[in-house]
Amino acid sequence: LYSETNCPITVLSGDNVTLTAKKGSNNYIYDKREELTDENEYSAAIYSLCDLDVQGKGELVIISKANNGIHSKNDLEVKNLTLSVTCMDNALKGNDSVTIECGSMTLIAKQGDGIKTTDSDISSKGNQRGTVSLRGGNIDIYAATDGIDASYDVNVSDGTILNIYTGEYSPYSETVKSKGSQYYIRSNS
């Protein structure tokens, strides 16, 4: 998929939507739009207004010229996928949570965070929001600012191989703040 004018994949409604990269497939999404600054615009190559699961045994490559890679306004889950995200802002953003289970991922955020959550309140179902959970897999994060920025908590399970390079240590960073202003993992909890 390739677009210079609209968000390549936009999920407008649903309870929980799943995108699957089938085994043996190579899938590419290019978001060639300029930077979007209005919060009401869909500022990611894949943007969802509901819970989003991205999974499969195939390969997914996302290149976002000026915005986020994947952004869910609710929960974002990535499972068993070979995923490569190169973007300007945040590679993976789930406002309520981000969960990664297995797979192999390279996340490059040239001016933003590798993985980010923004909400930290308790949901109507009693669930804590703002958590990043890594449950296995190989994850390489290259971020200009924070590798992981969780508004509440970060959980890394045994079996997760996690490499984080931020600021001047990321060869992809286009903006680097003063030394020490980036975090590998930042959490409010």
Side-chain angles (χ1 to χ4, degrees):
L1 295 171
Y2 176 98
S3 181
E4 292 181 347
T5 56
N6 297 305
C7 178
I9 295 179
T10 307
V11 179
L12 299 176
S13 66
D15 181 37
N16 190 335
V17 173
T18 301
L19 296 175
T20 303
K22 297 291 185 184
K23 184 177 183 178
S25 68
N26 298 315
N27 306 278
Y28 300 88
I29 300 173
Y30 299 95
D31 182 0
K32 302 302 250 176
R33 298 173 296 159
E34 297 300 321
E35 180 181 12
L36 301 171
T37 55
D38 183 347
E39 288 186 26
N40 295 320
E41 295 186 275
Y42 308 128
S43 59
I46 299 175
Y47 192 93
S48 178
L49 295 174
C50 61
D51 292 346
L52 177 65
D53 295 345
V54 183
Q55 63 185 16
K57 300 277 186 176
E59 179 182 359
L60 177 59
V61 176
I62 297 172
I63 298 174
S64 181
K65 175 183 172 183
N67 298 290
N68 293 318
I70 302 174
H71 183 178
S72 170
K73 294 290 274 185
N74 294 336
D75 298 317
L76 173 62
E77 183 173 325
V78 181
K79 186 175 181 180
N80 294 327
L81 193 61
T82 298
L83 175 65
S84 173
V85 176
T86 302
C87 63
M88 195 58 63
D89 203 2
N90 306 301
L92 299 180
K93 183 176 179 183
N95 287 10
D96 294 348
S97 72
V98 175
T99 301
I100 296 175
E101 192 171 325
C102 298
S104 176
M105 290 163 212
T106 301
L107 308 174
I108 299 170
K110 295 179 180 180
Q111 293 181 1
D113 299 327
I115 301 172
K116 184 177 185 82
T117 62
T118 55
D119 297 336
S120 61
D121 59 344
I122 303 294
S123 74
S124 60
K125 296 180 181 178
N127 298 322
Q128 176 64 56
R129 292 181 174 141
T131 298
V132 173
S133 299
L134 309 178
R135 302 176 184 156
N138 297 312
I139 306 164
D140 292 321
I141 300 173
Y142 301 89
T145 54
D146 301 326
I148 299 173
D149 184 356
S151 61
Y152 181 73
D153 204 2
V154 177
N155 299 301
V156 181
S157 301
D158 286 344
T160 303
I161 299 171
L162 177 62
N163 297 299
I164 301 175
Y165 307 92
T166 62
E168 66 271 12
Y169 301 106
S170 168
Y172 306 101
S173 295
E174 291 190 4
T175 59
V176 176
K177 297 178 182 178
S178 63
K179 214 172 199 180
S181 65
Q182 310 84 2
Y183 297 93
Y184 292 108
I185 299 176
R186 179 168 63 172
S187 173
N188 291 332
S189 166

